[in-house]
Amino acid sequence: MFETTVHPNYRRFGLVDTSVDTYTPNVDFSEWLLSAPGMVYLQVPSEVIRAPVRLESWSTEPAPGPGPWSGQAEVEVELPTAELGIEVITSGMDPIPLILPSPGTYKMRWHWVFNRENGPFTSPLIPSPGPVETPLGREEELDGEDQYCLVQIWRISQT
């Protein structure tokens, strides 16, 4: 497990394998998660300034994090070295000490919630469906910040 706080910009931040050249993947911006080999980005509302993030490495598929959440999505991603960093477009990548077992294909389940006291928040999805849900019940994890994310990661195959 690893916890940090990110300062998203350009309406996203990501988890990337430290061996890949990062770029903004040419993907479907109507989805919350944007992925390409070695990288997964979460789109966030432009109103989000600070977001605590909790990363968890699991040996098998975990139960989803207990709700309520504003959103949840899963994606498979190939991690060539299984050494991760957090990528924020303007400040680059910071390696993180989360240990994954080995290179291979992983599943990432992202959960997120927005702080209703700091809202409203506008969806970053294109086309924008409008305001995002801000359910009650995660105030401790939010700790006054704009958004909280839980990312659960587990290997589904080896390289």
Side-chain angles (χ1 to χ4, degrees), residues 48-129:
V48 172
I49 305 300
R50 292 173 48 93
V53 178
R54 178 184 173 108
L55 306 172
E56 298 177 346
S57 174
W58 292 82
S59 58
T60 61
E61 180 177 355
W69 299 102
S70 298
Q72 176 182 309
E74 291 184 10
V75 65
E76 287 183 18
V77 62
E78 181 68 28
L79 299 175
T81 66
E83 294 177 14
L84 295 178
I86 292 188
E87 169 81 6
V88 177
I89 294 169
T90 58
S91 60
M93 180 179 21
D94 288 325
I96 58 174
L98 183 72
I99 297 173
L100 298 178
S102 65
T105 304
Y106 284 79
K107 188 84 130 270
M108 290 187 187
R109 180 185 297 133
W110 292 63
H111 308 76
W112 58 91
V113 66
F114 301 101
N115 188 340
R116 67 181 331 145
E117 292 182 13
N118 295 5
F121 295 96
T122 307
S123 172
L125 305 183
I126 298 172
S128 177

Side-chain angles (χ1 to χ4, degrees), residues 7-13 24 42-44 46 88-90:
H7 302 270
N9 54 40
Y10 291 97
R11 296 185 330 218
R12 66 186 66 111
F13 72 91
T24 302
L42 174 67
Q43 296 196 87
V44 300
S46 59
V88 177
I89 294 169
T90 58

Side-chain angles (χ1 to χ4, degrees), residues 15-27 34-41 75-84 93 104-106 108 159:
L15 284 177
V16 299
D17 190 288
T18 58
S19 70
V20 301
D21 289 329
T22 59
Y23 61 95
T24 302
N26 184 16
V27 295
L34 311 174
S35 67
M39 62 188 73
V40 178
Y41 291 90
V75 65
E76 287 183 18
V77 62
E78 181 68 28
L79 299 175
T81 66
E83 294 177 14
L84 295 178
M93 180 179 21
T105 304
Y106 284 79
M108 290 187 187
T159 305

